[in-house]
Amino acid sequence: MNGMADESADFQDVLDARLGRRAALRGLGALAAGFALSRETEGSEHLSDPRAPASTDAPSAARVEESCSSLRFTEVPQGADDRVHVPPGHAAHVLIAWGDPVVAGAPTFDARSVTRARQELQFGTENDFLAFLPLPRGSSSSTHGLLCANHEGSRLHMMFADVPNAAFALAEADRGHVEAEMAAQGHSVLEIELAENRWRVVPGSRYARRITASSTWMRATGPAAGHPRLVTREDPTGTRILGTFNCCAGGVTPWGTVLVCEENFNKYFAGSAFPESERRNHERCAIGAEMEYGWHRHFPRFRAEEEPHEPNRYGWVIEYDPYDPTSEPKKRTALGRFKHEGATTVLAPDGRVVVYMGDDDEHEFVYRFVTERPWNAADPAANRDLLDAGTLSVARFEPDGRLLWLPLVHGAGPLTGANGFASQADVLIEARSAASLLGATRMDRPEDVEANPVSGRVYVMLTNNTKRKAGDFDGPNPRAPNRHGHVLELMPPALRSGERDHGASEFGWELFLRAGDPFERPDVTEIAQRAIYHPDVTRDGWFTCPDNTTFDPLGRMWIATDGGARKGIADGVWATDTLGPGRALTRRFFRAPVGAEVCGPCFTPDGTTLFVAVQHPGESDARGRSDGVAFANPTARFPDYEDDHPARSAVVAIRRADGGPLG
Ligand code: FEO
Ligand code: CA
Ligand code: CA
């Protein structure tokens, strides 16, 4: 399956085998059609004030009518500038930005006064995952609800005027800087409401909450809770953990709790001389090797040589109840420990809860967790700890189109004491090593994995993998290196009822699209590297580096990207049909300011609002160059556009001017 292959000789085989012959022909047709196109779709002025309705392009009615896509909006042009862009007839408003008040009594943003005390009450930095949960609980309101947001990271040189660059932040930042950024990471809960076609944050809401790296105590639950490998000098119980950080994507459960995923936890820990008992574990997670934060200089628990179990308390999926601001977040160890991108849920036909998860690193894996017991809609108390018991599995993609879910169960197969796994806790703490022993397929950085609520098919965003060496490709990872990523489609078996069985041990899989620019000239693009979409994709419709995804009420897929700088375009959101004549005909809907990635796309239940997270705007130019960029001179001064304001990550709400469904 993962064997090396000669790239040029085997390319057509790979296409035939797993893109599906029809799709492969369409893909190659897309290339031909692309070169024949003379119509230019770029170049119009398209600036907008994000605090006011966004200005838009003149509509191109002919193009819309010609399209075989079900999506009717006019595409936003490719390009890169310091503004947000949406289609004609749409408006984008900033809902909240870094430093704006969250908790009652919070001060307003003051770029000259960024402290732990203020930040604990304010919206954090670098918003990523977003979830909209209706109010009241259990309703399907699309005008009133909770907006839950992750704060993935922080860049001190974009937060403080006196931190000149990232190297200084790592090596020299003082305790005050570090305390402020620990309070800036984590998670926020806001109450929001819609009035006159515009969302606003309800000030002083009783639901408002900050969860941070420095102040929020949480509890480990499930098979690894209390295990000696989670015990530290500060916590002899191995269950009581201070805070969370690098919260990337996440999910929402059927019972209305939120899942928060800890991704690149290794970047916070220093050290390399680990005890033998943790060496394989820490080296597999690159503890100490990829440091981006200087927390260890002020807080001993981040020195992994002195406190070798502290890293084992991060890298989990956290569940908390956003409707109860006093609820204790729980690290659900049954879901395994790795660099969790997201954790999205769907019900199996028998009511068991299925959680799809990606481990976002080069050559890491796609996972699935299935609860032992079914969800009981009539008895909320019975669901409270449903995620503590079940089976974690990892994906092996076979070249014949089958996907096998391999259970990570202590004692089964190679997961025994002979290989360093004395218990299920060991298997979960070192899920990566366990999955490797089982023969999981090495993937190209799995980001979001999410089921289409209409078709039941599952989509995997594989963002890129530049570490893949020439020739080291296979069907589900068909490019080496993979600079632009791709999207896989997983098919759980269909039951007679038409339902898809997400709990089955075997699925099918197909390649949905290969990202990148399909208009690149053939003499500069090897066929094995070429992008593949629907043949009608336009010069605005292609993207690079898919990251997060969501589905509108009609089951159309909306994809947010993180990597446009690789191709000189700003990141954004693209939408596509997944089935029918518009399958894989992606169309650009949103463009972010330069330097930002786009995360957390999330619809209201009625599909009339799309919330998106604009993360780290202004941190680099359209080619990804960040030399000299800092607090005082970002490449985009979004969202305030005032000379003395820094660039700020922000949540943007996009609606149609007439309030109708998007798409
Ligand atoms: Fe935080 Fe994998 O993106
Ligand atoms: Ca991500
Ligand atoms: Ca990202």
Side-chain angles (χ1 to χ4, degrees):
M1 179 59 204
N2 292 316
M4 306 271 177
D6 175 74
E7 196 164 18
S8 53
D10 288 355
F11 176 67
Q12 193 59 49
D13 292 345
V14 167
L15 279 183
D16 287 352
R18 292 312 345 133
L19 184 59
R21 184 170 287 277
R22 273 180 309 133
L25 293 174
R26 272 206 305 274
L28 297 172
L31 294 166
F35 300 125
L37 274 179
S38 58
R39 178 175 62 207
E40 281 295 320
T41 54
E42 56 205 17
S44 58
E45 266 308 294
H46 204 71
L47 303 184
S48 69
D49 172 2
R51 297 280 184 184
S55 67
T56 51
D57 261 358
S60 169
R63 195 167 77 206
V64 169
E65 281 165 20
E66 280 167 19
S67 175
C68 53
S69 170
S70 75
L71 292 147
R72 310 315 290 174
F73 62 83
T74 300
E75 287 193 85
V76 168
Q78 305 282 32
D81 60 25
D82 65 349
R83 305 287 158 153
V84 299
H85 301 260
V86 293
H90 294 68
H93 295 286
V94 171
L95 177 67
I96 191 167
W98 164 51
D100 287 343
V102 171
V103 180
T108 55
F109 180 65
D110 178 350
R112 264 58 192 179
S113 181
V114 175
T115 65
R116 172 181 175 176
R118 296 169 68 91
Q119 187 65 81
E120 292 271 1
L121 307 175
Q122 297 170 326
F123 199 61
T125 42
E126 304 201 357
N127 38 211
D128 197 293
F129 174 73
L130 302 175
F132 177 83
L133 289 105
L135 282 170
R137 182 176 203 149
S139 77
S140 57
S141 175
S142 289
T143 58
H144 186 203
L146 303 177
L147 192 81
C148 307
N150 278 350
H151 301 294
E152 182 176 29
S154 46
R155 286 161 171 79
L156 286 177
H157 62 291
M158 304 300 281
M159 292 175 72
F160 292 95
D162 62 346
V163 176
N165 53 50
F168 182 97
L170 176 60
E172 296 184 57
D174 67 28
R175 189 180 173 101
H177 294 131
V178 168
E179 287 184 337
E181 76 171 341
M182 291 175 79
Q185 293 199 24
H187 190 83
S188 292
V189 182
L190 313 167
E191 180 182 351
I192 61 172
E193 64 184 8
L194 181 70
E196 295 172 353
N197 213 26
R198 188 163 177 156
W199 288 93
R200 67 166 196 126
V201 176
V202 176
S205 167
R206 70 183 183 89
Y207 297 105
R209 181 173 191 182
R210 279 300 323 280
I211 291 171
T212 74
S214 48
S215 65
T216 311
W217 285 96
M218 6 197 115
R219 192 164 298 281
T221 66
H227 188 274
R229 294 179 72 184
L230 265 60
V231 168
T232 62
R233 283 177 294 196
E234 284 183 7
D235 175 27
T237 73
T239 59
R240 206 162 144 65
I241 301 173
L242 179 55
T244 184
F245 41 84
N246 215 274
C247 303
C248 188
V252 175
T253 66
W255 49 96
T257 59
V258 170
L259 303 178
V260 171
C261 291
E262 296 178 328
E263 193 188 27
N264 294 300
F265 61 91
N266 62 311
K267 295 181 176 179
Y268 301 72
F269 292 96
S272 59
F274 307 124
E276 196 52 39
S277 56
E278 297 296 342
R279 181 179 311 284
R280 174 179 74 178
N281 175 27
H282 289 352
E283 288 182 356
R284 180 66 184 260
C285 294
I287 299 288
E290 298 178 337
M291 287 182 61
E292 288 186 4
Y293 296 89
W295 298 9
H296 64 286
R297 292 187 295 102
H298 304 288
F299 296 92
R301 69 185 176 113
F302 293 102
R303 300 170 200 154
E305 294 171 4
E306 293 173 32
E307 198 64 280
H309 294 162
E310 187 73 2
N312 294 347
R313 294 148 65 87
Y314 300 88
W316 302 105
V317 175
I318 298 162
E319 180 183 13
Y320 82 95
D321 181 356
Y323 293 97
D324 176 3
T326 67
S327 63
E328 181 183 52
K330 293 178 176 152
K331 298 204 177 190
R332 300 293 190 189
T333 66
L335 278 66
R337 174 174 168 270
F338 42 87
K339 295 184 188 176
H340 279 282
E341 170 68 24
T344 63
T345 67
V346 63
L347 289 176
D350 60 8
R352 290 178 300 160
V353 182
V354 176
V355 187
Y356 290 109
M357 302 178 283
D359 180 353
D360 180 8
D361 223 336
E362 290 90 353
H363 304 302
E364 291 298 340
F365 310 128
V366 172
Y367 294 84
R368 181 189 72 172
F369 178 79
V370 183
T371 57
E372 189 176 282
R373 289 185 294 114
W375 173 49
N376 184 346
D379 184 4
N383 305 316
R384 197 166 294 140
D385 296 313
L386 212 49
L387 296 179
D388 281 341
T391 304
L392 178 68
S393 300
V394 67
R396 184 163 76 206
F397 294 83
E398 298 289 354
D400 62 4
R402 289 179 306 138
L403 159 55
L404 308 180
W405 290 109
L406 312 173
L408 277 74
V409 176
H410 175 250
L415 306 184
T416 62
N419 288 314
F421 300 100
S423 66
Q424 184 65 14
D426 285 337
V427 170
L428 296 168
I429 291 166
E430 292 192 69
R432 285 180 161 190
S433 294
S436 287
L437 280 171
L438 291 174
T441 301
R442 298 151 62 243
M443 308 298 289
D444 289 350
R445 294 188 52 198
E447 302 254 24
D448 261 1
V449 184
E450 186 144 349
N452 184 326
V454 174
S455 71
R457 297 185 184 205
V458 180
Y459 295 85
V460 185
M461 305 298 119
L462 293 143
T463 198
N464 61 63
N465 185 353
T466 51
K467 289 186 182 166
R468 202 172 270 281
K469 299 272 191 304
D472 178 19
F473 67 92
D474 55 24
N477 301 280
R479 289 191 280 198
N482 183 356
R483 295 184 190 85
H484 301 297
H486 57 286
V487 176
L488 285 185
E489 182 179 56
L490 315 183
M491 275 81 68
L495 304 180
R496 206 167 290 170
S497 62
E499 270 183 295
R500 297 249 173 204
D501 184 2
H502 293 274
S505 57
E506 189 175 316
F507 287 13
W509 67 270
E510 294 281 353
L511 193 54
F512 183 75
L513 62 78
R514 294 205 320 203
D517 179 359
F519 296 87
E520 243 172 6
R521 292 179 7 243
D523 57 322
V524 299
T525 319
E526 294 297 322
I527 188 168
Q529 281 289 337
R530 278 180 213 163
I532 302 175
Y533 302 83
H534 185 287
D536 292 351
V537 72
T538 72
R539 288 178 183 274
D540 303 317
W542 62 268
F543 59 85
T544 178
C545 303
D547 188 340
N548 298 137
T549 191
T550 194
F551 298 89
D552 67 23
L554 298 178
R556 298 174 301 192
M557 181 160 58
W558 299 64
I559 297 169
T561 65
D562 176 11
R566 285 163 195 259
K567 292 291 293 181
I569 60 171
D571 281 307
V573 177
W574 283 256
T576 178
D577 294 314
T578 59
L579 297 170
R583 175 178 163 90
L585 176 45
T586 50
R587 310 181 75 237
R588 195 197 252 274
F589 177 77
F590 174 71
R591 203 172 101 201
V594 68
E597 64 174 282
V598 180
C599 313
C602 164
F603 283 99
T604 48
D606 66 358
T608 59
T609 300
L610 179 67
F611 298 102
V612 294
V614 172
Q615 187 182 150
H616 57 71
E619 64 135 28
S620 60
D621 68 13
R623 288 286 168 190
R625 291 171 297 225
S626 57
D627 295 351
V629 174
F631 178 96
N633 56 331
T635 57
R637 218 173 275 279
F638 172 85
D640 308 309
Y641 301 103
E642 290 175 22
D643 286 346
D644 57 345
H645 277 215
R648 300 196 285 158
S649 296
V651 177
V652 172
I654 305 170
R655 288 177 58 79
R656 266 170 47 175
D658 64 5
L662 297 172

